[in-house]
Structure formats: C-alpha cells, structure tokens
C-alpha cells in the first residue's frame, strides 16, 4: 500500500483560498497512491484561533468541494486533514473527512480532545464524542487528531473497533517535537499498528510548526520521516504486518480490562 503524507506549509502570507487551490493541486499530483493524508486545520492554521470562526464551513463547504474533486481526479482515498466545521446548530468542531476515490464522503471525525486548556480550540470548539474507523481495501483506518495522540485510551478504543492503521493529522509545534515523535512511536508499539502522522510546516500565529511527519510500523520502527519544510512524504508499507506482529507477539491478548475504573 502506498501512502503520501502532504506536509503542507501554513503561513499567514497565503490566503485560505490560495492554499486550498494549491493543496487540491498537490492531491491531484498523487495519482498512483492508495491513500493521501493532509494535516490538521491546514486552511487556517491550528494555532490561528481568530480564523476558526471566520473560515468555518459546513461539511459540504468549499474545502470538501475542492478536495472531493481532487480525490476523484487522482483516484485516491483522501484523508482530507481537518477544517473548522460549523455544525447546523452553530457549534464549531475540528473535523476530519475521509473521501473515497470517487469523491464520496466515507467518514467524518470530530476531534475528541481539544487543545489549549483554557483558551483557543478548547474554548472555541465543541468536542467530538465518537470513535471513527474506516474500512479501505487494504486496511482499516482509525482516526485521531493531533492532541488526541496524548490519550492512549482513544487508540485502544480504535483497536477494539478494528483499526490497523492510525491516521493522525496534526499542527504540532516545533517546541514539542520530541513528544510528537515519541508519542507516534508509542501509539504504534503499544497497539501493534501503523501510525501515519501528518503535521504542518511553516509558522502561524507566531508558532513555528514542527513538520517531521512520520510513518511508524507496528514494531515501532520509523519507516519514513519528513524534514521541517513543506514536503510530500511517500511510503510503501504492507498492512498485513499488523496481523503478523499481533500473532507473533500477542501482547494485546494480555490486556486486563477495567483498570481505568476506580478501586473499590
Ligand atoms: N493542535 C493541537 O492539538 C496541538 C497539540 C500540541 O501542541 C501538544 O499536544 O503538545
């Protein structure tokens, strides 16, 4: 299976409309890949909070329209990263779409863990409440977004729902890059799954982005890692490795369930 992670540069000098056109063009260039992945909130920038309300769109908004066409032109499955979604009741969400090679919406995931503690996304956006997996011809994807990477129980839930390959769009800052790499590898090893983690490059709202998108195999080995700038990271991997690893080293079968409940 071939995946291309598009580590898009998100800088304030470029308008949302121009970035949308540019990214749709980058997706069209990936014909031949099985799956293309975009980062988190790449229209606005994950830290450009003032743009969330201004640029929020419905699920069938301009980003969906541009990318559904691009996915279908390229004939690829597309994890379209996330955009600020305005739901019909007015609530904003950090929402990811997965589009099929014919441009149909195959899955919608609203980020569960919002980043910012008492500001930014944590106060401006609502929280998703549903785990989402998507069956592709070669593998089952489990969806998570950026800060979700710090919450291993979400990934265990996705494994229980059948996930073999986690896709994690992000807008991760350079100052915590060591956490990004460590957490991506940890989620892969503990769940014996592939991790495709796609970040942004550039600087927005004064926050330099880490880049360093990364693909990790179920043994925790890094198959590919990007540099800091805009880059297409293409990797070939065999999703059957997941079943093989889980069979040869069956640690997931030794889980003791219920340890997250209070002691009596
Ligand atoms: N956009 C995010 O979720 C940022 C997460 C982050 O910076 C961190 O977990 O550290």
């Amino acid at each position: 299976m071939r995946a291309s992670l598009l580590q898009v540069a998100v800088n304030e000098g470029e308008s949302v409309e121009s970035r949308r056109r540019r990214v749709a063009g980058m997706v069209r260039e990936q014909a031949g890949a099985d799956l293309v992945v975009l980062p988190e909130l790449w229209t606005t920038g994950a830290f450009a909070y003032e743009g969330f309300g201004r640029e929020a769109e419905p699920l069938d908004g301009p980003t969906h329209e541009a990318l559904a066409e691009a996915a279908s032109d390229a004939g690829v499955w597309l994890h379209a990263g996330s955009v600020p979604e305005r739901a019909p009741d007015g609530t904003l969400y950090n929402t990811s779409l997965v589009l099929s090679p014919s441009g149909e919406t195959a899955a919608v995931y609203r980020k569960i863990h919002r980043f910012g503690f008492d500001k930014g996304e944590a106060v401006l956006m609502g929280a998703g409440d549903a785990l989402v997996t998507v069956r592709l011809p070669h593998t089952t994807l489990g969806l998570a977004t950026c800060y979700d990477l710090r919450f291993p129980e979400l990934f265990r839930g996705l494994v229980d729902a059948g996930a073999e390959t986690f896709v994690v769009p992000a807008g991760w800052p350079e100052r915590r890059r060591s956490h990004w790499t460590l957490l991506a590898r940890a989620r892969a090893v503990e769940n014996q799954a592939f991790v495709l983690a796609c970040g942004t490059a550039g600087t927005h709202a004064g926050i330099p982005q880490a880049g360093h998108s990364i693909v990790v195999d179920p043994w925790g080995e890094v198959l590919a890692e990007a540099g800091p700038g805009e880059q297409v990271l293409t990797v070939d991997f065999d999703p059957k490795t997941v079943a093989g690893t889980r069979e040869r080293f069956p640690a997931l079968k030794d889980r003791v369930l219920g340890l997250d409940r209070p002691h009596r």
Side-chain angles (χ1 to χ4, degrees), residues 40 46-47 111 115 121 146-147 150 171-173 176:
E40 180 189 30
F47 290 88
K111 185 178 182 183
F115 185 68
E121 181 188 20
C146 203
Y147 187 48
R150 294 187 182 271
W172 201 278
R176 291 186 290 281

